[in-house]
Amino acid sequence: MKNKITQILRRLFQSIPSIIGIVIISFLLTRALPGDPAVYFAGAMADKESIEQVRVSLGLDKGIVEQFFIYVQNLSHGNLGMSLNTGLPVLEELTTRLPASLELTFLGLSFALIIAIPLGILSATKPGTWIDHLTRVLVTMGVSLPTFFTGLFLIYIFYYLLGIAPSPIGRLEIMYLSPPHVTGFYTIDSLLANDMETFWASVRQLMLPAITLGIFALAPIARMTRASMLNALSSDFIRTARANGLPRSKILITYALRNSLLSILTTLGMVFSFLLGANVLVEKVFSWPGIGSFAIEALVASDYAAVQGFVLTMALLFVVVNLTIDIILTLIDPRVSIDN
Amino acid sequence: MERRDFMRIAGAASILPFLRYLPTEANAATGSNGVLVVVSGNNINSLDLHRKGTNRPSYQVTVNIYDRLVKFGVKTLPDGSYAYDSTKIEPEIAQSWEFSDDKKSITFKINPKAKFWDGTPVTAHDVKWSFDRAVTLGGFPTVQMKAGSMSDPKQFVAVDDITFRIDLPFPSKLTLPDLAVPIPFIINSKVAKAHASANDPWATEYLHKTPAGSGPYKILRWDPGQQFVYQRNEDYAIAQKPAIKRVIVREVPSASTRRALLERKDADLYTNVPPKDVKEFKEEGKIKVSGAPIDNCIHVLGLNVKYKPFDNKKVRQAIAYAIPYEEILSSAAYGRGKPMFGASSKTPSNIVWPQPSPYNTNIEKAKKLLEEAGFKDGFKTTLSYNLGLASWQEPTALLIQEGLKKIGIKVKLDKIPGANWRTAALVEKRLPMHLENFGGWLNYPDYYFFWAYKYGHLFNSSNYKNEKIEKLTDETLHMEIDNPKYENMIKEMIEIVYDDVPRIPLYQPYLDAAMQKNIDGYVSWFHRQLDCTTITKS
């Protein structure tokens, strides 16, 4: 066990250079953005003089190297700066918005898993049949429909026409109060506060956007499940198991699926990261106060601190997700060691 | 164990601020008459308009929670909609006011009934502190105060607790109306000063999240990026209390979602509705639409005279004759615009502003003018537009492209992202042909000319320069409109710029709101924000 911990620590150390790289690149990239934040934030009627005043107060009149050192110094104090666009500290924005996005992404991913893995297994056991083709058509449709379209379509059917879904206005309907902040995940926080009504309300709000995201994520998971299942099913140990007359379910689940999980999990890490990105449009359609809509608005306004904060968070998240996946892999499969 | 205890305490502590809202908030949910649910496409980013970077949607907060010395009246339009009346100035905090004989100072008497939310009376010292703040903090507030000839704290004098005087360098008709715009709002200076520091003498950090005012509404809560809630000020005494007790403004970025919410009756009101939705709401008849043309605002095609061949007046006139005005009005504005073309005479008969230009779609005339200018075979150029305003600018640009093709001008379209637009079009003024939509808050033609036709000024994106316009604008800007010379000077100005056409008027846009049928009292304002105080719900 101790060995594992040192391995994990070493792995964490390895991510430090990439994080330093990200800090530098995100700083330079935001400076390369077209558009002048001083002009943007000076307001509708600002003249040259007031644009200059804003530029000085934002520290943008200083040299780029000086600006970078100020940024790094602030960063080392945990200060990500102020988002001009929302008028709040970037750190505060990220800590309130990231849980919203993560909650949605986790649920969307779970939805995709529940649908895609059985679909993948099914089409792997019957390759070339109509079930296989149907699965292929389904998942291709899911990935090729733009998420905002799926979202609007679901809203139109379930909210506008049928009236069974709640109004798409964010994490809770107007009549509910957000649960006391512990984790930032409304479902967990409301359970902690023992408030079942708010819990169900937040689950209802989550359904449509999570399904929208999930549909988008079906394809890679289902395809990867199918491919690795096919691979596993054609291996020698499965043939041996079959020859020995083991029950079908045991062959499929215990032997084939467990051996396929390796590649499915690796895919999952990637899917999770790109789902966080795909969130942007879903958040817009469902008025979800998440990190994606925050980043887009910040980009449009050349809001440097906010963009840098967002990129940094995503990078850290990526490192954490990959690490977690690696650790899980070592637990599932003793052949894998965290070093390679 | 320790960690768990900490979590529990933290959880209990974080519920505390919500406790006092809980019961009332739950009542609000029952959809009773006292609650108005508004959906808005924009995020507010501050509760303090004077702060740097405060965006336009946030002006709404200032309008509803703060008072000014004076306010504009409201008028009923022929179609039954309400709009503010730029010609009528009414008391708000100021009970009365009078000009000195030389018109170089205005003395206001403050209404003794005016009280801040904490119960203390509004005094002339609070007004002075607030005005000093507006002219000192810089940025947009300072520019807007300057429009009313107010730029120096020395101009603001608190004579005694209820008497406040503004001294002006010269008499100006713009000063009083400029006191009715959202900028010169009155802050509770005692509260603000208590939260000021050496680095932040104007308490911008505190007032950013914690307003301290006297207005008809207070802010009950603000969840950035999600919603804000107004609660009626039950002690409001200087005017009638608003009918609606609580207004919940939910931020819903997608226009389709906003529309669905309104049609499903989950929202009461939706401001700044795109013209396409307005047209469909009107046809379906289930949703009420109320709106008015925006005063002093025109959508124009700008021709930058710094670039060839737009330095040639005949080329500019040729283009003005080649634009398909009717099509733009019907398919880009969906009919929600007042025509600004086809006047019968080149000499204006009145000083109504904006008024139609003498141009209409006349391809023959356009071709002839272009030939006279020496461009018989046309030329190539680029038409830029703002992606942030794509809903009207994109179709308009396409129609202009098509129209100009008929006279041999090949137009390439150039989309510019919203963040770069101001730099390119207004600050650097480097776009040869572009769409522009300035609207002046103070409803006088000379005020529009000051921003849009004077050389070097921000909205003169055409780099237009005409000595006569420079002189006439300066002379008329502060002149009273009942001055006998005023009318003729304005007519002359309009005639000159319509002959020179550096800016080709297309139409005057509407500002529309859509609401349930039981909502009444929506007023269309020059600041384009929702004033909740007049709204009723039956």
Side-chain angles (χ1 to χ4, degrees):
Chain A
M1 197 57 202
K2 200 174 172 200
N3 193 24
K4 278 243 156 83
I5 290 172
T6 45
Q7 277 179 348
I8 291 171
L9 281 179
R10 192 183 307 149
R11 183 58 197 268
L12 275 175
F13 271 116
Q14 281 167 2
S15 60
I16 288 176
S18 44
I19 289 170
I20 291 175
I22 287 157
V23 169
I24 297 173
I25 291 172
S26 69
F27 179 85
L28 289 177
L29 275 183
T30 46
R31 262 50 182 190
L33 280 177
D36 185 344
V39 174
Y40 192 89
F41 289 107
M45 304 276 281
D47 49 15
K48 278 204 183 79
E49 199 182 321
S50 52
I51 291 172
E52 266 329 292
Q53 281 171 349
V54 174
R55 196 184 307 280
V56 171
S57 73
L58 297 181
L60 294 173
D61 54 329
K62 299 191 175 75
I64 193 155
V65 180
E66 196 182 346
Q67 284 184 45
F68 180 71
F69 279 109
I70 294 172
Y71 171 60
V72 172
Q73 200 180 8
N74 285 337
L75 208 58
S76 63
H77 294 116
N79 176 5
L80 292 178
M82 286 287 285
S83 161
L84 285 164
N85 207 25
T86 60
L88 294 171
V90 174
L91 193 66
E92 189 183 325
E93 286 283 358
L94 292 175
T95 45
T96 53
R97 283 165 179 271
L98 189 62
S101 287
L102 284 179
E103 191 173 31
L104 182 58
T105 311
F106 279 135
L107 202 68
L109 202 60
S110 320
F111 171 79
L113 280 180
I114 291 168
I115 306 285
I117 290 188
L119 270 184
I121 296 173
L122 207 63
S123 55
T125 49
K126 297 186 167 61
T129 62
W130 64 272
I131 294 181
D132 190 20
H133 291 307
L134 188 71
T135 309
R136 187 174 300 147
V137 170
L138 270 180
V139 300
T140 315
M141 256 172 56
V143 80
S144 31
L145 289 175
T147 43
F148 70 87
F149 176 81
T150 325
L152 281 178
F153 183 73
L154 291 177
I155 289 178
Y156 183 68
I157 302 286
F158 292 101
Y159 168 67
Y160 189 81
L161 288 183
L162 300 177
I164 46 178
S167 48
I169 47 170
R171 304 180 77 182
L172 281 174
E173 276 197 280
I174 287 167
M175 59 200 82
Y176 293 96
L177 278 176
S178 49
H181 183 92
V182 182
T183 58
F185 287 60
Y186 278 10
T187 44
I188 296 175
D189 288 356
S190 56
L191 283 180
L192 286 179
N194 207 7
D195 179 353
M196 288 315 283
E197 211 184 324
T198 310
F199 173 74
W200 285 116
S202 59
V203 170
R204 276 204 307 276
Q205 290 295 118
L206 273 165
M207 288 318 284
L208 285 193
I211 291 175
T212 310
L213 265 186
I215 289 176
F216 187 62
L218 281 182
I221 302 174
R223 299 305 292 168
M224 190 44 87
T225 312
R226 180 183 182 271
S228 52
M229 278 298 276
L230 274 179
N231 200 10
L233 285 174
S234 60
S235 342
D236 293 345
F237 64 90
I238 295 289
R239 199 188 53 198
T240 316
R242 280 211 184 106
N244 283 326
L246 284 179
R248 201 178 137 76
S249 58
K250 184 150 183 129
I251 298 175
L252 268 184
I253 307 296
T254 317
Y255 294 104
L257 184 63
R258 197 161 169 197
N259 278 288
S260 325
L261 271 182
L262 216 60
S263 42
I264 298 177
L265 261 177
T266 320
T267 320
L268 215 59
M270 263 151 57
V271 171
F272 179 82
S273 314
F274 87 60
L275 269 195
L276 263 179
N279 254 342
V280 175
L281 290 171
V282 179
E283 283 174 9
K284 213 157 183 136
V285 171
F286 290 92
S287 321
W288 205 260
I291 196 169
S293 43
F294 171 70
I296 283 289
E297 275 159 34
L299 264 179
V300 167
S302 304
D303 189 351
Y304 291 166
V307 176
Q308 283 160 194
F310 172 77
V311 175
L312 203 60
T313 316
M314 291 303 264
L316 288 177
L317 211 61
F318 206 86
V319 170
V320 171
V321 167
N322 276 318
L323 190 66
T324 320
I325 297 276
D326 284 354
I327 294 168
I328 296 175
L329 284 182
T330 57
L331 296 179
I332 296 178
D333 191 336
R335 285 171 304 178
V336 180
S337 113
I338 205 157
D339 274 332
N340 43 46
Chain B
M1 273 319 265
E2 276 170 22
R3 186 176 153 74
R4 187 170 297 169
D5 285 341
F6 170 74
M7 289 292 210
R8 205 175 285 147
I9 292 164
S14 63
I15 200 173
L16 278 176
F18 296 107
L19 279 179
R20 66 199 163 105
Y21 304 137
L22 219 53
T24 37
E25 190 81 17
N27 282 342
T30 53
S32 63
N33 290 339
V35 183
L36 188 80
V37 178
V38 179
V39 282
S40 155
N42 303 101
N43 293 325
I44 63 162
N45 68 358
S46 179
L47 304 180
D48 174 12
L49 175 44
H50 289 168
R51 193 172 187 272
K52 269 193 198 95
T54 297
N55 61 10
R56 193 182 262 267
S58 313
Y59 299 179
Q60 182 195 134
V61 176
T62 309
V63 168
N64 286 298
I65 67 171
Y66 285 106
D67 284 324
R68 275 138 288 267
L69 285 175
V70 292
K71 64 179 181 199
F72 287 112
V74 172
K75 64 183 175 195
T76 313
L77 299 177
D79 68 348
S81 299
Y82 306 102
Y84 90 102
D85 185 347
S86 63
T87 60
K88 224 164 50 186
I89 290 183
E90 295 177 351
E92 194 156 83
I93 288 282
Q95 202 171 19
S96 63
W97 56 92
E98 59 184 18
F99 285 87
S100 63
D101 290 338
D102 62 357
K103 297 247 176 187
K104 279 168 74 172
S105 71
I106 321 173
T107 308
F108 296 87
K109 282 280 175 213
I110 289 166
N111 191 333
K113 279 192 275 182
K115 296 267 192 298
F116 286 116
W117 299 327
D118 63 3
T120 58
V122 179
T123 68
H125 308 286
D126 296 301
V127 182
K128 175 168 170 53
W129 190 83
S130 310
F131 282 28
D132 287 356
R133 189 175 192 258
V135 298
T136 314
L137 276 178
F140 170 54
T142 304
V143 176
Q144 186 63 42
M145 292 298 278
K146 229 185 261 168
S149 313
M150 294 170 281
S151 54
D152 185 351
K154 284 196 203 102
Q155 288 177 269
F156 310 125
V157 186
V159 180
D160 57 48
D161 275 359
I162 59 157
T163 316
F164 176 71
R165 195 180 74 229
I166 299 177
D167 294 327
L168 300 167
F170 44 81
S172 169
K173 66 168 182 287
L174 297 179
T175 305
L176 200 55
D178 201 34
L179 295 175
V181 304
I183 303 292
F185 61 90
I186 295 159
I187 304 165
N188 187 336
S189 66
K190 288 154 297 246
V191 173
K193 278 181 198 159
H195 293 89
S197 64
N199 284 334
D200 183 20
W202 298 105
T204 52
E205 282 315 310
Y206 177 74
L207 292 170
H208 169 47
K209 286 186 182 171
T210 346
S214 59
Y217 281 102
K218 305 174 189 182
I219 286 284
L220 188 60
R221 59 185 290 177
W222 173 33
D223 305 320
Q226 297 180 62
Q227 64 172 3
F228 54 97
V229 181
Y230 293 119
Q231 173 77 22
R232 184 168 69 186
N233 171 11
E234 296 300 335
D235 302 321
Y236 196 61
I238 56 169
Q240 204 187 355
K241 262 191 283 181
I244 306 283
K245 275 192 188 150
R246 176 169 299 179
V247 183
I248 302 172
V249 183
R250 266 314 252 249
E251 290 160 357
V252 177
S254 150
S256 334
T257 311
R258 288 199 291 276
R259 186 171 160 174
L261 286 164
L262 196 65
E263 291 193 14
R264 287 283 309 176
K265 294 192 191 298
D266 281 330
D268 293 313
L269 192 139
Y270 157 22
T271 54
N272 225 332
V273 185
K276 184 171 180 281
D277 285 344
V278 171
K279 194 180 166 216
E280 286 168 16
F281 283 147
K282 286 200 156 192
E283 283 163 6
E284 287 162 13
K286 285 183 211 143
I287 301 282
K288 193 161 101 180
V289 179
S290 173
I294 303 171
D295 271 349
N296 220 350
C297 178
I298 332 174
H299 285 177
V300 300
L301 174 69
L303 301 175
N304 198 331
V305 300
K306 211 172 86 185
Y307 293 90
K308 278 187 189 311
F310 301 123
D311 56 339
N312 188 328
K313 184 163 99 180
K314 290 213 162 125
V315 172
R316 299 198 296 269
Q317 289 177 339
I319 292 173
Y321 278 116
I323 288 173
Y325 296 100
E326 294 285 353
E327 281 90 342
I328 289 174
L329 200 53
S330 63
S331 32
Y334 292 90
R336 292 304 279 173
K338 245 170 123 176
M340 282 297 135
F341 50 88
S344 52
S345 160
K346 285 193 175 172
T347 342
S349 60
N350 57 40
I351 58 165
V352 173
W353 184 259
Q355 61 172 271
S357 75
Y359 302 94
N360 48 21
T361 319
N362 187 336
I363 299 298
E364 285 317 305
K365 221 167 178 176
K367 275 185 181 162
K368 208 174 135 242
L369 279 161
L370 209 56
E371 200 179 325
E372 283 171 26
F375 292 95
K376 192 170 176 290
D377 303 322
F379 53 86
K380 279 185 193 162
T381 186
T382 312
L383 168 56
S384 312
Y385 63 91
N386 182 350
L387 264 184
L389 300 173
S391 66
W392 73 269
Q393 294 200 340
E394 189 145 48
T396 306
L398 285 166
L399 288 166
I400 292 175
Q401 184 185 37
E402 220 168 277
L404 294 184
K405 209 160 119 192
K406 291 183 187 154
I407 58 168
I409 302 177
K410 282 180 205 70
V411 176
K412 208 179 95 199
L413 296 184
D414 166 36
K415 304 175 193 181
I416 298 187
N420 309 358
W421 177 259
R422 293 180 54 80
T423 314
L426 304 181
V427 178
E428 292 172 4
K429 304 185 196 296
R430 58 171 167 78
L431 306 176
M433 191 192 243
H434 55 272
L435 292 168
E436 212 279 307
N437 66 330
F438 170 65
W441 272 6
L442 305 178
N443 191 18
Y444 298 98
D446 38 281
Y447 187 67
Y448 186 95
F449 276 65
F450 175 80
W451 284 107
Y453 285 113
K454 271 200 80 174
Y455 185 68
H457 283 203
L458 190 66
F459 292 92
N460 183 356
S461 50
S462 303
N463 284 307
Y464 177 63
K465 188 175 186 183
N466 180 312
E467 291 308 333
K468 206 135 195 216
I469 289 293
E470 301 283 314
K471 193 169 150 275
L472 284 169
T473 307
D474 285 342
E475 280 174 27
T476 48
L477 190 61
H478 302 290
M479 188 186 275
E480 290 296 330
I481 53 170
D482 51 11
N483 188 317
K485 289 192 285 183
Y486 185 73
E487 185 169 332
N488 283 333
M489 288 166 92
I490 296 289
K491 278 184 185 167
E492 193 182 348
M493 284 155 66
I494 297 176
E495 194 176 341
I496 294 173
V497 298
Y498 276 180
D499 185 50
D500 279 344
V501 283
R503 301 162 71 83
I504 304 172
L506 303 171
Y507 64 92
Q508 182 181 12
Y510 269 71
L511 176 68
D512 289 305
M515 61 207 85
Q516 302 298 343
K517 288 209 158 145
N518 59 343
I519 307 293
D520 198 19
Y522 170 80
V523 179
S524 185
W525 284 91
F526 63 96
H527 47 61
R528 310 185 196 184
Q529 304 301 324
L530 175 68
D531 179 344
C532 308
T533 56
T534 53
I535 308 274
T536 58
K537 184 175 178 180
S538 52

